[in-house]
Amino acid sequence: MPRSTMTPSRMDLPSVEWKRVLVLLLVLGVLVLLASSEAFQSAMSWLLEKAGPVIEAHPFWGAALFVLLSAFSAMLAFFSSAVLVPVAIHTWGEAVCVFLLWCGWMLGGAGAYVVARAWGRPVVRRLVSNELFGRYEKRISQHSSFGLVLLFQLAVPSEIPGYVLGLARYGLRRYLRVLAVAELPYAVGTVYLGSSLLAQRSLVLLALGALGIFFSAWALHALRKRLGP
């Protein structure tokens, strides 16, 4: 819903971002159920047994592929590398997995920025949600403060900010600093969620997931308050 066509009454309706929060709550509930499912744990063990030796035999290319797929997940709404996180944890451990995931998301954010700056709006509108993109395109500019852009990166789906800021010609170095700060806590949270799922720690999984969703909801509320109607 582009801003110019939105009426006050429509602004009060559940937005795409809040629907995303509800979806995350649903996903969290499913993950908690899976953590206690013997069938799921058996399937995960089979996957780790098959994938682990292959990655260990090709450590560089395995890490490069994981980073590349993580980058794609940060650029495309319909693609996710989350299913690979348990495999990465099993292969490299939590600390290395956080680093690789963070690098991938950094690469993806920078890639989205470059695509938007080089090829412009027609290409971007084929890759992201028109509703979200139209809402933020004219509210975020090259003169936006570091704090506002950081809040923007924390609050909205990761595939949106790079494209918006690339079109706005926001400074690349400033954006990379924002990206580095914003993606690190999400990388840590994602890896520890995956670790809790593998270890069948349902309560820890629930607590971490709820904390992450609460943080995302807070960031979204703060962003909307800063941007205004």
Side-chain angles (χ1 to χ4, degrees), residues 41-221:
Q41 293 297 331
S42 297
M44 186 59 65
S45 297
W46 178 86
L47 176 63
L48 296 177
E49 289 175 4
K50 296 296 182 181
V54 175
I55 297 176
E56 289 172 2
H58 307 280
F60 174 80
W61 293 112
L65 180 61
F66 179 72
V67 169
L68 186 61
L69 293 175
S70 299
F72 279 126
S73 74
M75 296 178 67
L76 304 171
F78 54 82
F79 183 83
S80 174
S81 62
V83 68
L84 299 177
V85 170
V87 177
I89 294 170
H90 178 76
T91 304
W92 297 300
E94 294 171 347
V96 174
C97 186
V98 167
F99 177 72
L100 293 176
L101 191 60
W102 179 75
C103 287
W105 288 348
M106 287 283 293
L107 181 62
Y113 177 97
V114 170
V115 166
R117 190 149 182 174
W119 286 288
R121 188 174 291 101
V123 172
V124 171
R125 288 193 175 276
R126 293 177 178 272
L127 298 174
V128 299
S129 164
N130 286 336
E131 184 174 357
L132 283 178
F133 183 78
R135 180 176 301 168
Y136 295 113
E137 183 184 8
K138 294 182 181 178
R139 299 188 183 194
I140 305 293
S141 73
Q142 61 180 321
H143 304 297
S144 295
S145 67
F146 181 91
L148 177 60
V149 176
L150 177 60
L151 201 56
F152 178 46
Q153 184 73 43
L154 289 170
V156 304
S158 59
E159 69 273 7
I160 299 294
Y163 294 115
V164 171
L165 294 165
L167 284 179
R169 297 191 173 275
Y170 189 82
L172 178 58
R173 290 183 181 179
R174 286 186 295 160
Y175 175 55
L176 290 178
R177 289 197 294 269
V178 167
L179 197 60
V181 174
E183 297 296 5
L184 184 57
Y186 284 119
V188 172
T190 299
V191 168
Y192 279 97
L193 277 174
S195 181
S196 300
L197 180 63
L198 288 176
Q200 295 182 276
R201 297 194 297 262
S202 299
L203 290 179
V204 175
L205 178 66
L206 181 60
L208 285 173
L211 180 62
I213 293 170
F214 175 80
F215 179 72
S216 296
W218 167 84
L220 176 58
H221 174 75

Side-chain angles (χ1 to χ4, degrees), residues 2-19:
R3 215 167 37 261
S4 59
T5 63
M6 296 174 77
T7 64
S9 60
R10 292 192 68 178
M11 284 291 292
D12 293 334
L13 294 175
S15 67
V16 172
E17 301 100 319
W18 289 115
K19 290 177 183 176

